[in-house]
Amino acid sequence: MTILLLAVFAFFIFSMFRRNKKAQQQQAEMQSKFGPGVEVMTSFGLYGRIVEIDDAENKIVLELSPGNNATVHRQAVTKVVEPAAVEPGAPAAEDAAAPAEAPEAGPSVSGPSGPLGLGKPAADAGTPQEQASETPEETLKRLDGEDKNQK
C-alpha cells in the first residue's frame, strides 16, 4: 500500500514539473518573437505595437495608438497578435469595414414580444429597415408614444 501511494505521489510531482517546463518553453518561444513593430496583447487586454524593449529592466514600450505609448513589464505581454489571413475570394478589409449603408441606430434587439422585449408585438414597431432609417427625433416620438400607450 505504501509503495502505491509513493508511486502516485511521484507521478503527480513528475507531471507538475513537466507542465511547468512546457509553459516555460512556450513563454520563451513567444518572447523570442518580440521586436520593434510586432503587434502584441497584454495580460490586461491592451493591444499595441512594440516600440522599444529594455532587457535590463524587463520593460516594453507599446504604442497603443499614434502618439499614445504605454510602458509595461515584459511578462505582462502574453500574446503575439498574428495578422488575420484573408481568404482568396473575400473582399478586402477596407471594403468589409465600410458597409454601403450604415444604419443610424445601434444594433436591434428584438424578440417575440417586440423590440427590447417591451411587451408590444414586433409588427407594431415597424420593420428593422424602417427603424434604421428613422431620425433620432422620430425615434424619440415613437418611443414616447409607446410609453403613453402602456400607461
Side-chain angles (χ1 to χ4, degrees):
M1 184 71 173
T2 306
I3 295 174
L4 182 62
L5 285 174
L6 288 175
V8 169
F9 184 68
F11 174 75
F12 283 131
I13 289 176
F14 172 75
S15 64
M16 183 177 64
F17 282 123
R18 185 171 177 220
R19 189 175 327 130
N20 287 344
K21 187 176 180 180
K22 281 186 177 182
Q24 286 175 348
Q25 285 176 346
Q26 288 176 344
Q27 185 76 14
E29 179 184 330
M30 184 193 59
Q31 288 192 1
S32 70
K33 295 179 182 179
F34 287 176
V38 175
E39 293 279 335
V40 294
M41 183 183 86
T42 63
S43 59
F44 39 93
L46 287 177
Y47 286 88
R49 178 174 286 126
I50 295 177
V51 175
E52 179 184 338
I53 299 174
D54 184 3
D55 288 326
E57 295 185 23
N58 282 332
K59 292 182 180 179
I60 293 180
V61 178
L62 297 178
E63 181 180 36
L64 305 175
S65 63
N68 292 322
N69 292 338
T71 303
V72 297
H73 193 274
R74 188 178 188 121
Q75 289 179 340
V77 179
T78 57
K79 183 177 178 183
V80 174
V81 179
E82 303 292 333
V86 179
E87 294 181 16
E94 297 166 354
D95 296 338
E101 183 178 325
E104 292 177 21
S108 157
V109 179
S110 56
S113 63
L116 302 176
L118 295 175
K120 291 197 144 207
D124 293 347
T127 64
Q129 290 82 13
E130 291 173 357
Q131 290 178 359
S133 64
E134 281 183 341
T135 64
E137 292 80 20
E138 292 172 335
T139 303
L140 287 174
K141 287 179 185 176
R142 179 177 54 83
L143 292 175
D144 205 24
E146 288 177 1
D147 190 35
K148 290 177 184 176
N149 290 338
Q150 286 182 353
K151 290 182 180 179

